[in-house]
Amino acid sequence: MYDLSCERVTKNFGSFTAVDGVSLDIPSGSFFSILGPSGCGKTTLMRMIAGFETPSRGDIRIKGDSVLALPPNRRNVKMVFQHLALFPMMSVGENIAYGLRCRGDAKAEIPARVARVLDRVGLPGVEDKRIEQLSGGQKQRIAIARCMVLEPDVLLLDEPLGALDLKLREHMKIELKQLQHRFETTFLYITHDQSEALVMSDTVAVMNAGRFEQIGAPRELYENPVSGFVAGFVGDSNCLAGRIAEIRGDEALVELSGGGTVRARRGDGAGQGDAVEVFLRPEALFVGEGDPHATLDGRVDSLLFNGANSRILVQLDNGPLIEVADPGQAGRVAQDQQVRVGWDPARATCFAQRAGA
Amino acid sequence: MRNDAGKLSLILLMAPFALWIGLLIVLPQLGIGYVSLREKVGINQYEFGPGNYADFIAEPIYRNTLFRTAWMSILVTALALLVGFPVAWYIAKIARERSRAALFLLCLIPLWVSDLVRAYGWIVLLRETGVVSTVLVGAGIIAQPVEMLYNDVTVVIGLVYTVILFMIVPLVSTLQGMDDALLEAGYNLGGGRLTVFRRIIVPYAMPGIVAGCIITFMLTAGSYLTPILLGGKNSSWFTEQIYNQFITRYNWEAGATFGVLLLGFTSLVVWAGLRLTGQSLSTTVAKE
C-alpha cells in the first residue's frame, strides 16, 4: 500500500502544460524528493496533491483512496510552505492548536498535544512565544510541528530551506531527516537544490519540463543517470560536446568538437554520428596519465580552495574549462602549468545532446 | 557637535507638526474649553463654573441628540465596514496587479467632487421630483411620486457613501500585506471558509479594521453637511445643535460646551469600542 500515488497527473494552464503525465508511488514512511529547476512544474504538482489546484487529467490517491473530490481542508496531507506561512497574529501554541481546533479535538486535550509535539521537535515550553521572537530554524520546526500534530498521511514540504542561510540550511537538512525518522511519516519534499535532495531522500524524482526524467535512490541517480539532463542536474559534472565516431558494444568513441577522441559508456540510445555530450564527474578526474582515449591536455587556469571540495580549474587545449577534484589541495600543480588530465573510462558517460544545449 | 546637529534636525523636522498640532488643534480646543466654562450672568458679565454642562444635562433634547448621533454614527461605521470589506478584499486580493491601481483610483473619484455637490447629487436622485421617483412612476411600480429625502435611512445611506473610502483605504493596505500562503495554510490545516475568515483574515486585518472604524466614526459623528442636506429638519444631528448655538443663537458658551461634549463623548465611544473588542491603539493602528 502506498501512502501517496499519482497516476498520469496532467495540469494544463491554457495551452501551457505545467505537469505532463506524472506518475509516482510513495511507500509508507519514506522520504521522497522531487528535484527540478524552477518552473519545471514541481510546485504545481504539490499544489494539486494539497488540493489547491485540480488536475486536468489523472488521479491522486492517498492511502489508496482518490482525493480529487475532496477540498483542501478535508485531505489528510499537510503542507510546510516555502515561507512557512506561520500565523503572525497567533502565539506559537495557538499556531499549533489551530489545526486541532479545526479538527474538533476536545478543548481539554489540546494543550497536552501541543506540548507533546513541541517536545518532539525539540522546542519544549515555547507555547507563549510570539512567532517573530523565534529564529529561522525554530520557525521551521514550528511549521513542521503545526502539521505533524495532526498526524498527516503525507507531509508536503515546498522548498522550506530556501530562505535560510547556508550554515543553518546544512544543519536543517540533517535535522529534517531525523525528524522524519522520529515521526515515521511519509515526507514529500520539493527542491531545486540537488544536495538537499541527495542528502535527505530515500527516493528522488528528477523533474524537467513537467515530466519525471528519472526516479531512483540518490546513489543510482548520481552513478547511473538515464539522461543528459539528470547527469547535468544531479551533482557536479563536466560536459564535453562531440559526435559518436564508433560504437563498440556498451562503449562509444566520441570525437570531441574541439578535437581529440575519448571513450565513454553509452548512457542512452544515441547511435553512430549522433551529437552527444560526455559527462565526467570532477572526482573521477585526476592529474596524470589515464587510459588511451581517457586523457586530455590543458593548462591550469586556477586553483579553487574549498577544503575537501577543492578543485583545479583546467583550461583544455581543445576548448572547454573543466573542474578536477583535488581533495586536500596537495599543491602538486601550479597556476599556468601545462597538465594532462586522466580518468577511468568506465566513469565517463555520453548522452544525446540536450535540446538547446 | 554631531549630537547638536542631530538635535537641531530633529527639532526642525518636528516643528511643522508641533506647530500644526499646537496652534490649530490644541490652542483652539483650550479656547473652546475655556469658553465652555464661562457662565453668562449679565451683559458682558461672566462667572466661571460648570453651569453650561448642567444646562446640557438638564435638557433632554440635547442629550438625546448626542446619543442619537453616536448611535447613528456607529450604525454608519458598521455598514461602511460591511460594504467596504468585500470591496477592499476584491481590490487587494482578487483584482489583477494592473487593474488594482485603476480600481483604487475609481474609489478616489468621489473625493474629486466637493461634499456639497455630492450631497446635492443624492438630492437630485431622491427628491419627490427626482430621478428615482420619476423612473419608478414611469415604470408603473408606484402610483405616485414619493419623497425619499429627509428620513434616517437616507441620512445613513448618504453618510456611508461619504465615509466608506476612509474605511476601504486602510483595509486595502493591510490586506495587501497578507501572504496568500496564510490562507492556504489555514485551509490545509483543516479550516473551512468560515474558520479561515474568522481566525485568520479578520485577526490579520484587525489593524486596518480598527483604523478604518475610528476614522469613519469620527468623520460621521462630526459631519455636518450630509445630515443637514439629506435629513433636513428631521436629522437632529449633534453638529447642527452646535451650529445653532454658535450662529443662530449667538450663544458661544453653550456651543463651546457642546463641542467639548461631542469630542469627549466620541472619544469615549472609541475607547469603549477598543475595550470591547479587546484591542488597543498600540497593537492595531500603531502596529509596525
CSV table of all heavy atoms in Angstrom, one decimal, chain A residues 243-255 261-273 276 278 291-294 343-351:
chain,number,residue,atom,x,y,z
A,243,ARG,N,30.7,14.0,-31.1
A,243,ARG,CA,29.9,13.2,-32.0
A,243,ARG,C,30.4,11.8,-32.0
A,243,ARG,O,31.6,11.6,-31.9
A,243,ARG,CB,30.1,13.8,-33.4
A,243,ARG,CG,29.1,13.4,-34.5
A,243,ARG,CD,29.2,14.2,-35.7
A,243,ARG,NE,28.7,15.6,-35.5
A,243,ARG,CZ,27.4,15.9,-35.5
A,243,ARG,NH1,26.5,15.0,-35.7
A,243,ARG,NH2,27.1,17.2,-35.4
A,244,ILE,N,29.5,10.8,-32.0
A,244,ILE,CA,29.9,9.4,-31.9
A,244,ILE,C,30.6,9.0,-33.2
A,244,ILE,O,30.0,9.1,-34.2
A,244,ILE,CB,28.7,8.5,-31.5
A,244,ILE,CG1,28.2,8.8,-30.1
A,244,ILE,CG2,29.1,7.0,-31.6
A,244,ILE,CD1,27.0,8.0,-29.7
A,245,ALA,N,31.8,8.6,-33.0
A,245,ALA,CA,32.6,8.1,-34.2
A,245,ALA,C,32.4,6.6,-34.5
A,245,ALA,O,32.3,6.2,-35.6
A,245,ALA,CB,34.0,8.5,-34.1
A,246,GLU,N,32.3,5.9,-33.3
A,246,GLU,CA,32.3,4.5,-33.5
A,246,GLU,C,31.6,3.9,-32.3
A,246,GLU,O,31.8,4.4,-31.1
A,246,GLU,CB,33.7,4.0,-33.6
A,246,GLU,CG,33.9,2.6,-34.1
A,246,GLU,CD,35.3,2.1,-34.0
A,246,GLU,OE1,36.3,2.9,-34.2
A,246,GLU,OE2,35.5,0.9,-33.8
A,247,ILE,N,30.9,2.8,-32.4
A,247,ILE,CA,30.2,2.1,-31.3
A,247,ILE,C,30.8,0.8,-31.1
A,247,ILE,O,31.0,0.0,-32.0
A,247,ILE,CB,28.7,2.0,-31.5
A,247,ILE,CG1,28.1,3.5,-31.4
A,247,ILE,CG2,28.1,1.1,-30.5
A,247,ILE,CD1,26.6,3.5,-31.5
A,248,ARG,N,31.3,0.5,-29.8
A,248,ARG,CA,31.8,-0.9,-29.5
A,248,ARG,C,31.0,-1.4,-28.4
A,248,ARG,O,31.3,-1.1,-27.2
A,248,ARG,CB,33.3,-0.8,-29.1
A,248,ARG,CG,34.2,-0.3,-30.2
A,248,ARG,CD,35.6,-0.3,-29.6
A,248,ARG,NE,36.5,0.4,-30.5
A,248,ARG,CZ,37.7,1.0,-30.0
A,248,ARG,NH1,38.0,1.0,-28.7
A,248,ARG,NH2,38.5,1.5,-30.9
A,249,GLY,N,29.9,-2.1,-28.6
A,249,GLY,CA,29.1,-2.6,-27.6
A,249,GLY,C,28.5,-1.5,-26.7
A,249,GLY,O,27.8,-0.7,-27.2
A,250,ASP,N,28.9,-1.6,-25.4
A,250,ASP,CA,28.4,-0.6,-24.4
A,250,ASP,C,29.1,0.7,-24.5
A,250,ASP,O,28.7,1.7,-23.9
A,250,ASP,CB,28.6,-1.2,-23.0
A,250,ASP,CG,27.3,-1.8,-22.5
A,250,ASP,OD1,26.3,-1.8,-23.3
A,250,ASP,OD2,27.3,-2.3,-21.4
A,251,GLU,N,30.2,0.7,-25.2
A,251,GLU,CA,31.0,1.9,-25.2
A,251,GLU,C,30.9,2.6,-26.6
A,251,GLU,O,30.5,2.0,-27.6
A,251,GLU,CB,32.5,1.6,-25.0
A,251,GLU,CG,32.7,1.3,-23.5
A,251,GLU,CD,34.2,1.3,-23.2
A,251,GLU,OE1,35.0,1.3,-24.2
A,251,GLU,OE2,34.6,1.3,-22.0
A,252,ALA,N,31.3,3.9,-26.5
A,252,ALA,CA,31.3,4.7,-27.8
A,252,ALA,C,32.6,5.4,-27.8
A,252,ALA,O,33.2,5.8,-26.8
A,252,ALA,CB,30.1,5.6,-27.8
A,253,LEU,N,33.1,5.6,-29.0
A,253,LEU,CA,34.3,6.5,-29.2
A,253,LEU,C,33.7,7.8,-29.6
A,253,LEU,O,33.0,7.9,-30.6
A,253,LEU,CB,35.2,6.0,-30.3
A,253,LEU,CG,36.4,5.1,-29.8
A,253,LEU,CD1,37.3,4.8,-31.0
A,253,LEU,CD2,37.2,5.8,-28.7
A,254,VAL,N,34.0,8.9,-28.9
A,254,VAL,CA,33.4,10.2,-29.2
A,254,VAL,C,34.5,11.1,-29.7
A,254,VAL,O,35.5,11.3,-29.0
A,254,VAL,CB,32.7,10.8,-27.9
A,254,VAL,CG1,32.1,12.1,-28.2
A,254,VAL,CG2,31.6,9.8,-27.4
A,255,GLU,N,34.2,11.7,-30.8
A,255,GLU,CA,35.1,12.7,-31.4
A,255,GLU,C,34.7,14.0,-30.8
A,255,GLU,O,33.5,14.5,-31.1
A,255,GLU,CB,35.0,12.7,-32.9
A,255,GLU,CG,36.3,12.9,-33.6
A,255,GLU,CD,36.1,12.5,-35.1
A,255,GLU,OE1,35.6,13.3,-35.8
A,255,GLU,OE2,36.4,11.4,-35.4
A,261,THR,N,39.8,12.4,-29.2
A,261,THR,CA,38.8,11.4,-29.1
A,261,THR,C,38.8,10.8,-27.8
A,261,THR,O,39.9,10.6,-27.2
A,261,THR,CB,39.1,10.3,-30.2
A,261,THR,OG1,39.3,10.9,-31.5
A,261,THR,CG2,38.0,9.3,-30.3
A,262,VAL,N,37.6,10.5,-27.2
A,262,VAL,CA,37.6,9.9,-25.9
A,262,VAL,C,36.6,8.7,-25.9
A,262,VAL,O,35.7,8.7,-26.7
A,262,VAL,CB,37.1,10.9,-24.8
A,262,VAL,CG1,38.1,12.0,-24.6
A,262,VAL,CG2,35.7,11.5,-25.1
A,263,ARG,N,36.8,7.8,-25.0
A,263,ARG,CA,35.9,6.6,-24.8
A,263,ARG,C,34.9,7.0,-23.7
A,263,ARG,O,35.2,7.6,-22.7
A,263,ARG,CB,36.7,5.4,-24.3
A,263,ARG,CG,37.3,4.6,-25.5
A,263,ARG,CD,38.3,3.6,-25.0
A,263,ARG,NE,37.8,2.7,-24.0
A,263,ARG,CZ,38.6,2.0,-23.2
A,263,ARG,NH1,39.9,2.2,-23.1
A,263,ARG,NH2,38.0,1.1,-22.4
A,264,ALA,N,33.6,6.6,-23.9
A,264,ALA,CA,32.6,6.8,-22.9
A,264,ALA,C,31.6,5.7,-22.9
A,264,ALA,O,31.4,5.1,-24.0
A,264,ALA,CB,32.0,8.1,-23.1
A,265,ARG,N,31.0,5.4,-21.7
A,265,ARG,CA,29.9,4.5,-21.7
A,265,ARG,C,28.7,5.1,-22.4
A,265,ARG,O,28.5,6.3,-22.2
A,265,ARG,CB,29.6,4.2,-20.2
A,265,ARG,CG,29.4,2.8,-19.8
A,265,ARG,CD,29.5,2.7,-18.3
A,265,ARG,NE,29.0,3.9,-17.5
A,265,ARG,CZ,27.7,4.0,-17.2
A,265,ARG,NH1,26.8,3.1,-17.5
A,265,ARG,NH2,27.4,5.1,-16.5
A,266,ARG,N,27.9,4.3,-23.0
A,266,ARG,CA,26.7,4.8,-23.7
A,266,ARG,C,25.6,4.9,-22.7
A,266,ARG,O,25.1,3.8,-22.2
A,266,ARG,CB,26.3,4.0,-24.9
A,266,ARG,CG,27.2,4.2,-26.1
A,266,ARG,CD,27.0,3.1,-27.1
A,266,ARG,NE,25.6,3.3,-27.7
A,266,ARG,CZ,24.9,2.3,-28.1
A,266,ARG,NH1,25.3,1.0,-28.0
A,266,ARG,NH2,23.7,2.5,-28.7
A,267,GLY,N,25.1,6.1,-22.3
A,267,GLY,CA,24.0,6.2,-21.3
A,267,GLY,C,22.7,6.0,-21.9
A,267,GLY,O,21.7,5.7,-21.2
A,268,ASP,N,22.5,6.3,-23.2
A,268,ASP,CA,21.2,6.2,-23.8
A,268,ASP,C,21.3,5.6,-25.2
A,268,ASP,O,22.4,5.1,-25.6
A,268,ASP,CB,20.4,7.5,-23.8
A,268,ASP,CG,21.2,8.6,-24.5
A,268,ASP,OD1,22.2,8.3,-25.1
A,268,ASP,OD2,20.8,9.8,-24.4
A,269,GLY,N,20.3,5.7,-26.1
A,269,GLY,CA,20.3,5.0,-27.4
A,269,GLY,C,21.0,5.8,-28.5
A,269,GLY,O,20.7,5.5,-29.7
A,270,ALA,N,21.8,6.8,-28.2
A,270,ALA,CA,22.4,7.6,-29.2
A,270,ALA,C,23.3,6.7,-30.1
A,270,ALA,O,24.0,5.8,-29.6
A,270,ALA,CB,23.3,8.7,-28.6
A,271,GLY,N,23.2,6.8,-31.4
A,271,GLY,CA,23.9,6.0,-32.4
A,271,GLY,C,25.0,6.7,-33.1
A,271,GLY,O,25.3,7.8,-32.8
A,272,GLN,N,25.6,5.9,-33.9
A,272,GLN,CA,26.8,6.5,-34.7
A,272,GLN,C,26.4,7.8,-35.4
A,272,GLN,O,25.4,7.8,-36.1
A,272,GLN,CB,27.3,5.4,-35.7
A,272,GLN,CG,28.7,5.8,-36.2
A,272,GLN,CD,29.4,4.5,-36.6
A,272,GLN,OE1,29.0,3.4,-36.4
A,272,GLN,NE2,30.6,4.7,-37.2
A,273,GLY,N,27.3,8.7,-35.3
A,273,GLY,CA,27.1,10.0,-36.0
A,273,GLY,C,26.2,11.0,-35.2
A,273,GLY,O,26.1,12.2,-35.6
A,276,VAL,N,26.5,14.1,-29.2
A,276,VAL,CA,26.4,13.7,-27.8
A,276,VAL,C,27.2,14.6,-26.9
A,276,VAL,O,27.9,15.5,-27.4
A,276,VAL,CB,26.9,12.3,-27.6
A,276,VAL,CG1,26.0,11.3,-28.3
A,276,VAL,CG2,28.4,12.2,-28.1
A,278,VAL,N,29.6,14.2,-23.4
A,278,VAL,CA,30.3,13.3,-22.5
A,278,VAL,C,30.3,14.0,-21.1
A,278,VAL,O,30.7,15.1,-20.9
A,278,VAL,CB,31.7,13.0,-22.9
A,278,VAL,CG1,32.4,12.1,-22.0
A,278,VAL,CG2,31.7,12.4,-24.4
A,291,ASP,N,43.9,6.1,-19.3
A,291,ASP,CA,43.9,5.2,-20.4
A,291,ASP,C,44.1,5.9,-21.7
A,291,ASP,O,43.9,7.1,-21.8
A,291,ASP,CB,42.5,4.5,-20.4
A,291,ASP,CG,42.5,3.3,-19.5
A,291,ASP,OD1,43.2,3.3,-18.5
A,291,ASP,OD2,41.9,2.3,-19.9
A,292,PRO,N,44.4,5.2,-22.7
A,292,PRO,CA,44.3,5.8,-24.1
A,292,PRO,C,42.9,6.2,-24.3
A,292,PRO,O,42.0,5.4,-23.8
A,292,PRO,CB,44.8,4.7,-25.0
A,292,PRO,CG,45.0,3.5,-24.2
A,292,PRO,CD,44.9,3.8,-22.8
A,293,HIS,N,42.6,7.2,-24.9
A,293,HIS,CA,41.2,7.8,-25.1
A,293,HIS,C,40.6,8.1,-23.8
A,293,HIS,O,39.3,8.1,-23.7
A,293,HIS,CB,40.4,6.8,-25.9
A,293,HIS,CG,40.8,6.6,-27.3
A,293,HIS,ND1,41.1,7.6,-28.1
A,293,HIS,CD2,41.1,5.4,-28.0
A,293,HIS,CE1,41.5,7.1,-29.3
A,293,HIS,NE2,41.5,5.8,-29.2
A,294,ALA,N,41.3,8.3,-22.7
A,294,ALA,CA,40.8,8.8,-21.5
A,294,ALA,C,41.7,9.9,-20.9
A,294,ALA,O,42.0,9.9,-19.7
A,294,ALA,CB,40.5,7.7,-20.5
A,343,TRP,N,41.3,9.9,-16.6
A,343,TRP,CA,40.2,9.3,-15.8
A,343,TRP,C,39.9,7.9,-16.2
A,343,TRP,O,40.5,7.4,-17.2
A,343,TRP,CB,38.9,10.1,-16.1
A,343,TRP,CG,38.4,10.1,-17.5
A,343,TRP,CD1,37.5,9.2,-18.1
A,343,TRP,CD2,38.7,11.0,-18.5
A,343,TRP,NE1,37.3,9.5,-19.4
A,343,TRP,CE2,38.0,10.6,-19.7
A,343,TRP,CE3,39.5,12.2,-18.6
A,343,TRP,CZ2,38.1,11.3,-20.9
A,343,TRP,CZ3,39.6,12.9,-19.8
A,343,TRP,CH2,38.9,12.4,-20.9
A,344,ASP,N,39.2,7.2,-15.4
A,344,ASP,CA,38.8,5.8,-15.6
A,344,ASP,C,37.7,5.9,-16.7
A,344,ASP,O,36.6,6.4,-16.4
A,344,ASP,CB,38.3,5.2,-14.3
A,344,ASP,CG,37.7,3.8,-14.5
A,344,ASP,OD1,37.8,3.3,-15.6
A,344,ASP,OD2,37.2,3.3,-13.5
A,345,PRO,N,37.9,5.2,-17.8
A,345,PRO,CA,36.8,5.3,-18.9
A,345,PRO,C,35.5,4.8,-18.5
A,345,PRO,O,34.5,5.3,-19.0
A,345,PRO,CB,37.4,4.5,-20.0
A,345,PRO,CG,38.7,4.0,-19.6
A,345,PRO,CD,39.0,4.4,-18.2
A,346,ALA,N,35.4,4.0,-17.5
A,346,ALA,CA,34.1,3.5,-17.0
A,346,ALA,C,33.3,4.6,-16.4
A,346,ALA,O,32.1,4.4,-16.2
A,346,ALA,CB,34.3,2.3,-16.0
A,347,ARG,N,33.9,5.7,-16.0
A,347,ARG,CA,33.2,6.7,-15.3
A,347,ARG,C,32.9,7.9,-16.2
A,347,ARG,O,32.4,8.9,-15.7
A,347,ARG,CB,34.0,7.2,-14.0
A,347,ARG,CG,34.1,6.0,-13.0
A,347,ARG,CD,34.8,6.5,-11.8
A,347,ARG,NE,33.8,7.3,-11.0
A,347,ARG,CZ,34.2,7.8,-9.8
A,347,ARG,NH1,35.3,7.6,-9.3
A,347,ARG,NH2,33.3,8.6,-9.2
A,348,ALA,N,33.1,7.7,-17.5
A,348,ALA,CA,32.6,8.7,-18.4
A,348,ALA,C,31.4,8.2,-19.1
A,348,ALA,O,31.3,7.0,-19.5
A,348,ALA,CB,33.7,9.0,-19.4
A,349,THR,N,30.4,9.0,-19.2
A,349,THR,CA,29.1,8.6,-19.8
A,349,THR,C,28.7,9.6,-20.9
A,349,THR,O,28.9,10.8,-20.7
A,349,THR,CB,28.0,8.5,-18.8
A,349,THR,OG1,28.5,7.9,-17.6
A,349,THR,CG2,26.8,7.7,-19.3
A,350,CYS,N,28.2,9.1,-22.0
A,350,CYS,CA,27.7,10.0,-23.0
A,350,CYS,C,26.2,9.9,-23.2
A,350,CYS,O,25.7,8.8,-23.1
A,350,CYS,CB,28.5,9.9,-24.3
A,350,CYS,SG,28.2,8.3,-25.2
A,351,PHE,N,25.6,11.0,-23.5
A,351,PHE,CA,24.2,11.1,-23.7
A,351,PHE,C,23.9,11.9,-24.9
A,351,PHE,O,24.7,12.8,-25.2
A,351,PHE,CB,23.4,11.7,-22.5
A,351,PHE,CG,23.4,10.9,-21.3
A,351,PHE,CD1,24.4,11.2,-20.3
A,351,PHE,CD2,22.6,9.8,-21.1
A,351,PHE,CE1,24.4,10.4,-19.1
A,351,PHE,CE2,22.6,9.1,-20.0
A,351,PHE,CZ,23.5,9.4,-19.0
